[in-house]
Amino acid sequence: MSPDDLIRNAYVGSPVKRLEDLRLLPGKGRFVDDIRRENMLYAVILRSSIGHGVIRNIDTAAAEKMPGIHSVITAADLGEDIPVVPLRLMPMEELKPLGQPVIAGDKVRYVGEALAVILADSPAIGEDALSQIVVEIDPVDAVVNRHDAVAGNSLLFEDWGSNKAITYRATKGDVSTIFETADYVRRECFATQRHLALPLEARGVLAEWDAEAEHLTVEGAAKVPFPNRKILAAMMDLPIESIDLIESDVGGGFGARGEFFPEDFLIPFAARFCGRPVKWIEDRRENLLTTGHAREMECELEIACASNGRILGMRGEVWVDAGAYYRTNGPISPRNVAQFMSGPYRVPNIDIKSHAMLTNKAPIGTYRGPGRFESDYFRERFFDIVAGELGIEPVEFRRRNLVAENEMPYSIAKIAPVEREEEFDSGDYEMVLDRCLEAFGWKDKEKLRGQLIDGVYHGLAVGCFVEGGGAGPSENARLVLQEDGSVNVYVGSTAVGQGVLTVLTQIAADALELPLEQIKVFHGSTSFVSDGFGSYHSRSTVMGGSAILLAAEKLQEHICSAAARRSGCAVEAIEIVDGIVAIGEGQSITLGELANDVPEVEETFHNHKHTYAYGSVAAHLTVDPETGEVALIDLLMIEDAGKIVNPLTLHGQAIGGLVQGLGGTFLEHMIYDEQAQAVTGTLADYLLPQATSYPNIRAIMLEEKPSPIGPLGVKGAGEGGVLPMGGLMANAVASALSSFGIQPTELPLSPSYIWNLIRAAESQKDE
């Protein structure tokens, strides 16, 4: 089945308004904190105020005596073997010793680590009880950056013998002689700052234990309920079928939400421990301190080029601040930053090492474009420096090195020790670059580069990127024909704000040739399908949509067979049109009349290759030399996402990604001091973009080169806007301040950082 064969209704490709919003905008959403249960207790978690130390004693006696306190759970209540949060993605047996215990028993390794769980009649009573718990911890020297981690004077895991968790190595070709013979060789260091996803709604869990049925129900699941159920079942020594994880509405995900955190065990354990429903709702400080962090990396890169600007090779090392534990999906950004350092460019020889270093900070996880935001910044910033020194225009330097369409599929560096090979599936990268430059008006704006006009300097920059999507290994869809002629569609994909309900409804409606109103999509909960993998790596449409196509085809076969049996005619004579089953000679029957004769179907779409959307971006900004303030004048992204199911929701994803990337480039910074205390512990200190921050941003989404990976031809496109912002904006700032010779090498591009660069450049000139 080809994409063009899908659509008699032609919902696919139409800007259908989000179906979710009919319920969410009037305030009819069902978030986990909206759920109440009879006899419910509230969990409040005591967290370490020390970044690194040995626990001597936790005295809960006074807290347990307080009115309204049911019990206080510590590591002692979990027994000798405290469960450890495992690696979900890229697991390696040898890394298990670095996993996070669900509650601290002997040692604390970051501020915010759980020490005790208070079960109270109300959150307020639980909060009051926190001050009554006496904790004795002997401080240990904190490891606060990669230099401390490398020095190894203080170790997070003494038995491990090092603060290095693992080194990933991305290789292609042979760099052994390239750097000795190349016309041009350049080395530079870059750094990106620590920040995090920070969804509007913090996390929450509500757990109920049915002792008679020995069944656990957990509300608040998001992103990956099926894998999390397997993890939880193993931790609680329960059969998988004894646990249901129920998806709630969520206020944003961005990669961080829904991974398995300690609370995802502690709250279900507490419910079974006390025999009552237990709910925990994260507050914003907990969210800042304990949800997966991201992005903090330093690198030293080296590039070799021919005199005409052709890239011959890249090599270097990246140090990733992985935080205190290696948990859940922590391996992804250290892996990605090495494997995707070359981006959409033809780099024949590559050798990049990425070291995941342990420090006394919150553990890292995935955040929209993990590792790719960082690699894009390192690469694109480096390319502008190199192009300037070679005397080549930045646009032309990129054009000469972009992978050509006739080279597709194009193999990039191979990563080890996980031995994962990757190749770009399809695309015309130069075409998108040209369309971006034309739509942006690059030729007309070029003359503004570096110009001082009305007291501010103007800068321009361009960049190119690829984004991965469609992670396997599989996804499930179950279809059930109803007596009213509608079809219930159950999928393993989950909703984290990306409009999955709308998009999957469009796909199902076209595949079944039914109106949207006759499709009802149910997603995410483990009770809906036999297995599933959820929503991450921009996979919902690629994987979930393809599973729906397979199931729809099977359901139609059952419908035709049932109609043929009822009418006594051949299956080939049956035709389904607009919900009516034509059986020949002017006779017909409705779908609803066949509902009892048509079995439900569940199909699985398997895929072990990734899709790769790609795009180009251009920016025009100004820099005030007196304050270091940057004003964004114009920003355009053009991205080819293969087949587009819903241009309206995709455009929203693109614009949202651009703003999120801008926030991570200019504003957001999770800062720790020398004792590993979080300095930016509130939203008064941790800055975020506001609705009025970046009004002049544009996104144009194309569907020029469908992906050959799946039957829909779609490519995951939920992360593209984030990826290129760091490199693009840093290059635009360098362009604006070219008369000063300024070359930013770290993020964020805060006013103080830029102001200091200007002052340093002025001082150097004066000397």
Side-chain angles (χ1 to χ4, degrees), residues 188-406:
E188 188 58 79
C189 297
F190 303 97
T192 52
Q193 85 283 18
R194 194 178 202 85
H195 55 289
L196 59 151
L198 208 75
L200 181 64
E201 179 214 14
R203 295 179 294 133
V205 180
L206 191 160
E208 299 175 81
W209 171 250
D210 185 333
E212 184 176 348
E214 293 191 333
H215 189 273
L216 180 67
T217 302
V218 182
E219 299 266 5
K223 187 179 177 180
V224 287
F226 287 89
N228 280 359
R229 178 173 66 164
K230 294 174 184 176
I231 294 171
L232 183 58
M235 284 183 167
M236 298 192 69
D237 194 23
L238 289 170
I240 291 177
E241 57 271 17
S242 294
I243 301 177
D244 281 329
L245 267 61
I246 308 301
E247 183 185 21
S248 302
D249 290 320
V250 299
F254 313 121
R257 180 185 222 99
E259 287 298 340
F260 200 96
F261 293 97
E263 297 82 8
D264 294 307
F265 169 83
L266 291 173
I267 305 310
F269 174 85
R272 186 170 68 173
F273 181 82
C274 69
R276 292 170 60 177
V278 175
K279 181 164 71 172
W280 167 75
I281 300 297
E282 182 182 57
D283 64 30
R284 185 54 67 187
R285 180 168 174 77
E286 287 179 300
N287 180 258
L288 284 163
L289 292 178
T290 68
T291 303
H293 287 185
R295 309 289 203 222
E296 186 174 5
M297 299 187 190
E298 297 179 27
C299 76
E300 183 176 341
L301 293 181
E302 195 172 10
I303 191 169
C305 297
S307 58
N308 64 0
R310 295 283 186 184
I311 300 172
L312 304 175
M314 292 180 69
R315 66 184 180 185
E317 294 187 86
V318 184
W319 290 270
V320 180
D321 190 322
Y325 297 100
Y326 219 49
R327 72 182 185 196
T328 314
N329 52 8
I332 300 305
S333 57
R335 187 278 302 270
N336 283 355
V337 72
Q339 190 169 27
F340 293 93
M341 188 67 76
S342 58
Y345 302 97
R346 186 188 308 103
V347 183
N349 302 288
I350 300 170
D351 190 351
I352 305 289
K353 294 178 182 177
S354 174
H355 311 289
M357 307 302 298
L358 301 173
T359 65
N360 293 119
K361 301 172 186 173
I364 62 169
T366 49
Y367 171 32
R368 205 171 188 178
R372 293 189 177 92
F373 172 91
E374 301 92 326
S375 65
D376 273 37
Y377 168 68
F378 299 150
R379 179 188 67 249
E380 297 292 321
R381 182 77 276 268
F382 203 10
F383 280 9
D384 263 31
I385 293 173
V386 171
E389 292 181 356
L390 288 172
I392 303 172
E393 283 294 307
V395 171
E396 182 58 28
F397 181 85
R398 287 169 172 80
R399 190 190 308 280
R400 292 179 187 180
N401 291 290
L402 283 171
V403 174
E405 183 179 11
N406 61 13

Side-chain angles (χ1 to χ4, degrees), residues 94-95 98 160 162-167 322 326 355-358:
E94 53 267 42
L95 293 172
L98 305 181
W160 188 257
S162 168
N163 288 319
K164 181 188 290 186
I166 189 174
T167 293
Y326 219 49
H355 311 289
M357 307 302 298
L358 301 173

Side-chain angles (χ1 to χ4, degrees), residues 303-542:
I303 191 169
C305 297
S307 58
N308 64 0
R310 295 283 186 184
I311 300 172
L312 304 175
M314 292 180 69
R315 66 184 180 185
E317 294 187 86
V318 184
W319 290 270
V320 180
D321 190 322
Y325 297 100
Y326 219 49
R327 72 182 185 196
T328 314
N329 52 8
I332 300 305
S333 57
R335 187 278 302 270
N336 283 355
V337 72
Q339 190 169 27
F340 293 93
M341 188 67 76
S342 58
Y345 302 97
R346 186 188 308 103
V347 183
N349 302 288
I350 300 170
D351 190 351
I352 305 289
K353 294 178 182 177
S354 174
H355 311 289
M357 307 302 298
L358 301 173
T359 65
N360 293 119
K361 301 172 186 173
I364 62 169
T366 49
Y367 171 32
R368 205 171 188 178
R372 293 189 177 92
F373 172 91
E374 301 92 326
S375 65
D376 273 37
Y377 168 68
F378 299 150
R379 179 188 67 249
E380 297 292 321
R381 182 77 276 268
F382 203 10
F383 280 9
D384 263 31
I385 293 173
V386 171
E389 292 181 356
L390 288 172
I392 303 172
E393 283 294 307
V395 171
E396 182 58 28
F397 181 85
R398 287 169 172 80
R399 190 190 308 280
R400 292 179 187 180
N401 291 290
L402 283 171
V403 174
E405 183 179 11
N406 61 13
E407 296 176 273
M408 297 292 178
Y410 182 82
S411 295
I412 63 171
K414 181 179 180 179
I415 195 75
V418 290
E419 302 297 330
R420 173 84 190 194
E421 297 184 7
E422 289 287 340
E423 62 180 23
F424 299 151
D425 53 347
S426 64
D428 187 343
Y429 298 168
E430 187 173 352
M431 173 272 295
V432 169
L433 173 60
D434 289 338
R435 291 185 65 165
C436 180
L437 294 171
E438 182 180 0
F440 185 73
W442 181 266
K443 287 185 178 180
D444 293 333
K445 294 178 180 178
E446 269 190 303
K447 60 181 179 291
L448 292 173
R449 282 191 290 182
Q451 295 296 310
L452 179 63
I453 303 172
D454 295 331
V456 294
Y457 287 94
H458 288 252
L460 285 91
V462 67
C464 304
F465 66 94
V466 290
E467 67 162 311
S474 62
E475 195 54 83
N476 283 36
R478 181 169 65 94
L479 272 57
V480 184
L481 181 61
Q482 304 295 303
E483 292 184 358
D484 62 358
S486 65
V487 176
N488 286 355
V489 179
Y490 301 90
V491 293
S493 302
T494 53
V496 286
Q498 79 277 45
V500 67
L501 174 66
T502 304
V503 169
L504 295 187
T505 299
Q506 289 176 258
I507 293 171
D510 276 353
L512 294 167
E513 299 180 33
L514 292 173
L516 288 177
E517 295 76 19
Q518 287 184 239
I519 303 295
K520 299 176 183 177
V521 171
F522 301 86
H523 48 74
S525 298
T526 58
S527 58
F528 289 156
V529 290
S530 60
D531 200 3
F533 283 84
S535 296
Y536 60 96
H537 196 257
S538 295
R539 71 187 303 275
S540 298
T541 305
V542 177

